[in-house]
């Protein structure tokens, strides 16, 4: 019965309630944008957080060649053999592979031709970060190594799609592979970054891969699946080397000097990389949050005030409900149900607006999205709004009696 009265209350104050719904819709959109901004900043920092919280270094290596033997480095075990006292080593590699749609080995003498890009990861990298996929799945690290390797490919002009069986070539040797997933275009992958190295932070760990810009697709694979195959490869790209907490500065520096002999393009201590990363993450947040918060508070206060005004204008109807047998304090519950309906409609409208905007591409260059943190934030605001919708009407009703209301009308 109270719910039906709440719906009736909405119809009687249609203009006021439409205003409340619009205000709360704006509040939800602002909140979702605010949370999305924060989440987007941390999304690519969190995968390497454990590295950055440890003592050690980040390296971008161009040619991983053992300075003692002159041979290419193909596994992290070989890096462990070069340095002492280290804890974790994680790396990526470049396999010398080619792909041809007709299944034949590719040979080209054109030095200006753009070759397909092949990258292989240690299990650590494959585990900590999964790029956005258009279709298929990411690597199954528990799958036993077999004759056929798993490959995730970017958007491509070959027409490759999830489930395709292909052949890759290393000179005269053939490697069988299955396409298990296709990357979304213009998505981040673990690879050599093109951004500035003046202040190295978490962004230097990723490359924004877009087919139109790169002009050739990327093939991602697992290093452990290539080791027993006839494939030439070498350490190349992003490498983290961390040390236990008890490692001495001398031990860390000796390891650092050894790693710098591996044709290192640039390097940074994990301590500096963490500082630069957090500075970047919070810099824009500090600038934007006061604006977001002020607009949000003003909108929320406006919505609650409108709800309270609506309750005051409904006092005459509440007095009639009282005469018909409803307890005076229960009239506040009528306003509560009206507020619940209003805030639910607002929430649905805000979601619908965001999804439609994303579908038509309006939000294509923004970080606005809807996930668990956005849901949690909206739930908190809904609870606050509903609580205020109980407290204010109770206060209004408590300061009036049914007799006073009926006599004044």
């Amino acid at each position: 019965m109270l719910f039906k009265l709440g719906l009736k209350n909405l119809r009687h104050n249609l203009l006021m309630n439409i205003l409340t719904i619009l205000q709360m819709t704006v509040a939800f959109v602002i909140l979702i944008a605010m949370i999305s901004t924060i989440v987007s900043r941390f999304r690519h920092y969190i995968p390497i957080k454990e590295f950055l919280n440890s003592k050690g270094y980040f390296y971008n290596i161009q040619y991983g060649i053992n300075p003692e033997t002159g041979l290419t480095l193909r596994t992290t075990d070989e890096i462990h053999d070069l340095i002492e006292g280290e804890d974790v080593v994680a790396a990526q590699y470049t396999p010398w592979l080619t792909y041809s749609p007709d299944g034949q080995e590719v040979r080209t003498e054109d030095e200006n031709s753009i070759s397909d890009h092949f990258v292989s990861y240690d299990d650590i990298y494959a585990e900590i970060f999964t790029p956005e996929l258009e279709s298929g799945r990411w690597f199954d690290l528990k799958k036993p190594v077999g004759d056929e390797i798993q490959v995730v490919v970017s958007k491509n002009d070959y027409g490759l799609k999830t489930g395709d069986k292909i052949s890759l070539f290393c000179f005269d040797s053939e490697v069988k592979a299955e396409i298990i997933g296709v990357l979304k275009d213009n998505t981040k992958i673990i690879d050599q970054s093109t951004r500035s190295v003046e202040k190295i932070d978490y962004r230097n760990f990723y490359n924004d891969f877009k087919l139109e810009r790169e002009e050739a697709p990327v093939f991602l694979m697992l290093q452990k699946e290539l080791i027993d195959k006839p494939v030439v490869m070498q350490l190349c790209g992003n490498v983290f080397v961390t040390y236990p907490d008890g490692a001495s500065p001398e031990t860390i520096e000796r390891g650092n000097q050894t790693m710098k002999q591996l044709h290192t393009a640039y390097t940074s201590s994990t301590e500096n990389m963490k500082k630069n990363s957090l500075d970047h993450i919070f810099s824009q947040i500090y600038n934007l949050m006061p604006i977001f918060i002020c607009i949000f508070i003003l909108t929320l206060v406006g919505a609650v005030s409108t709800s309270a005004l609506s309750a005051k204008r409904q006092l005459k109807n509440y007095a009639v409900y009282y005469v018909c047998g409803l307890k005076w304090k229960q009239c506040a519950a009528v306003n509560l149900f009206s507020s619940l309906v209003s805030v639910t409609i607002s929430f649905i409208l805000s979601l619908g607006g965001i999804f439609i905007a994303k579908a038509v591409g309006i939000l294509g260059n923004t970080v606005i999205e809807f996930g668990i943190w956005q849901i949690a934030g909206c739930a908190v605001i809904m609870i606050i709004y509903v609580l205020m919708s109980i407290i204010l009407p109770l206060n209004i009703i408590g300061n009036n009696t049914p007799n006073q209301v009926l006599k004044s009308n």
Side-chain angles (χ1 to χ4, degrees):
M1 178 183 176
L2 293 177
F3 182 71
K4 289 182 178 179
L5 291 175
L7 292 177
K8 188 177 181 180
N9 186 29
L10 279 175
R11 291 194 297 270
H12 285 170
N13 288 277
L14 187 59
L15 184 61
M16 295 289 290
N17 286 303
I18 288 176
L19 180 59
T20 299
I21 289 171
L22 291 176
Q23 288 175 317
M24 285 305 298
T25 300
V26 171
F28 281 130
V29 171
I30 292 173
L31 181 67
I32 291 170
M34 188 165 54
I35 294 175
S36 295
T37 299
I38 298 172
V39 170
S40 69
R41 289 288 174 126
F42 278 98
R43 179 183 294 113
H44 296 104
Y45 170 80
I46 290 175
I48 61 173
K49 181 180 68 174
E50 294 302 319
F51 294 129
L52 301 185
N53 286 337
S54 304
K55 295 179 179 179
Y57 281 88
F58 168 74
Y59 304 92
N60 182 270
I61 295 176
Q62 297 297 303
Y63 307 104
I65 298 176
N66 190 316
E68 298 176 358
T69 64
L71 300 176
T72 58
L73 295 168
R74 304 169 73 243
T75 67
T76 51
D77 287 340
E78 295 171 342
I79 301 176
H80 282 292
D81 292 339
L82 284 176
I83 53 182
E84 297 179 355
E86 77 288 349
D87 183 16
V88 176
V89 178
Q92 69 176 89
Y93 310 81
T94 297
W96 295 357
L97 290 166
T98 57
Y99 168 72
S100 174
D102 58 11
Q104 300 296 317
E105 180 190 358
V106 177
R107 294 183 183 275
T108 178
E109 297 179 357
D110 183 2
E111 294 182 357
N112 296 319
S113 64
I114 299 175
S115 302
D116 297 337
H117 186 36
F118 292 84
V119 179
S120 59
Y121 298 134
D122 282 333
D123 279 14
I124 295 177
Y125 281 176
E127 183 177 8
I128 64 173
F129 180 70
T130 301
E132 293 183 279
L133 299 175
E134 187 71 41
S135 65
R137 61 174 177 83
W138 190 236
F139 297 108
D140 180 3
L141 299 179
K142 295 181 180 179
K143 180 181 178 181
V145 175
D147 295 333
E148 188 176 79
I149 67 172
Q150 306 174 80
V151 173
V152 175
V153 69
S154 67
K155 178 181 177 182
N156 59 89
D157 295 327
Y158 297 131
L160 294 174
K161 58 186 182 299
T162 300
D164 285 353
K165 306 283 187 177
I166 63 173
S167 292
L168 303 174
F169 293 92
C170 179
F171 301 109
D172 295 327
S173 300
E174 180 181 5
V175 177
K176 296 293 185 181
E178 178 186 1
I179 305 296
I180 62 169
V182 178
L183 298 170
K184 282 187 177 180
D185 199 28
N186 198 25
T187 191
K188 290 186 184 297
I189 61 172
I190 298 174
D191 198 10
Q192 300 188 61
S193 172
T194 57
R195 71 175 302 274
S196 170
V197 297
E198 183 177 347
K199 291 185 69 174
I200 297 171
D201 59 39
Y202 73 93
R203 292 173 295 173
N204 291 88
F205 186 67
Y206 304 96
N207 179 37
D208 295 306
F209 192 91
K210 185 177 179 64
L211 180 62
E212 183 180 359
R213 179 174 58 247
E214 304 293 342
E215 299 183 19
V218 64
F219 293 75
L220 307 179
M221 50 203 70
L222 294 176
Q223 181 68 1
K224 68 179 181 184
E225 294 186 343
L226 295 174
I227 290 298
D228 64 342
K229 308 296 188 299
V231 177
V232 177
M233 67 195 81
Q234 68 177 15
L235 181 74
C236 182
N238 300 322
V239 179
F240 271 107
V241 178
T242 64
Y243 296 82
D245 291 337
S248 67
E250 293 77 16
T251 298
I252 296 175
E253 185 55 30
R254 280 197 302 271
N256 182 36
Q257 292 303 318
T258 299
M259 291 297 296
K260 284 183 176 180
Q261 297 178 45
L262 308 182
H263 298 274
T264 302
Y266 55 84
T267 183
S268 171
S269 69
T270 52
E271 180 181 6
N272 285 337
M273 192 172 181
K274 177 181 179 180
K275 179 182 181 301
N276 293 338
S277 296
L278 294 179
D279 286 346
H280 169 72
I281 288 171
F282 288 110
S283 62
Q284 191 173 14
I285 291 176
Y286 288 147
N287 292 332
L288 293 177
M289 283 307 105
I291 301 172
F292 275 136
I293 291 171
C294 287
I295 297 174
F296 175 73
I297 290 175
L298 288 173
T299 306
L300 183 61
V301 169
V304 172
S305 299
T306 304
S307 176
L309 184 60
S310 175
K312 188 171 183 178
R313 294 181 62 178
Q314 285 294 308
L315 284 175
K316 179 181 177 181
N317 290 334
Y318 294 160
V320 173
Y321 298 156
Y322 174 77
V323 171
C324 294
L326 193 66
K327 292 181 180 180
W328 188 233
K329 294 293 183 181
Q330 286 181 307
C331 293
V334 175
N335 196 75
L336 167 64
F337 284 113
S338 297
S339 298
L340 277 173
V341 173
S342 297
V343 77
T344 301
I345 293 173
S346 300
F347 182 63
I348 293 172
L349 285 176
S350 63
L351 286 190
I354 289 173
F355 286 135
I356 291 173
K358 287 184 77 71
V360 299
I362 296 176
L363 301 180
N365 294 320
T366 70
V367 296
I368 297 176
E369 61 179 14
F370 196 74
I372 187 166
W373 291 108
Q374 288 83 347
I375 293 174
C378 290
V380 170
I381 296 307
M382 290 176 76
I383 292 171
I384 292 174
Y385 176 76
V386 169
L387 287 175
M388 295 297 290
S389 298
I390 297 173
I391 295 171
L392 290 180
L394 276 174
N395 186 51
I396 293 170
I397 291 171
N399 291 330
N400 296 271
T401 65
N403 291 333
Q404 289 174 333
V405 175
L406 290 172
K407 287 179 180 179
S408 65
N409 290 274

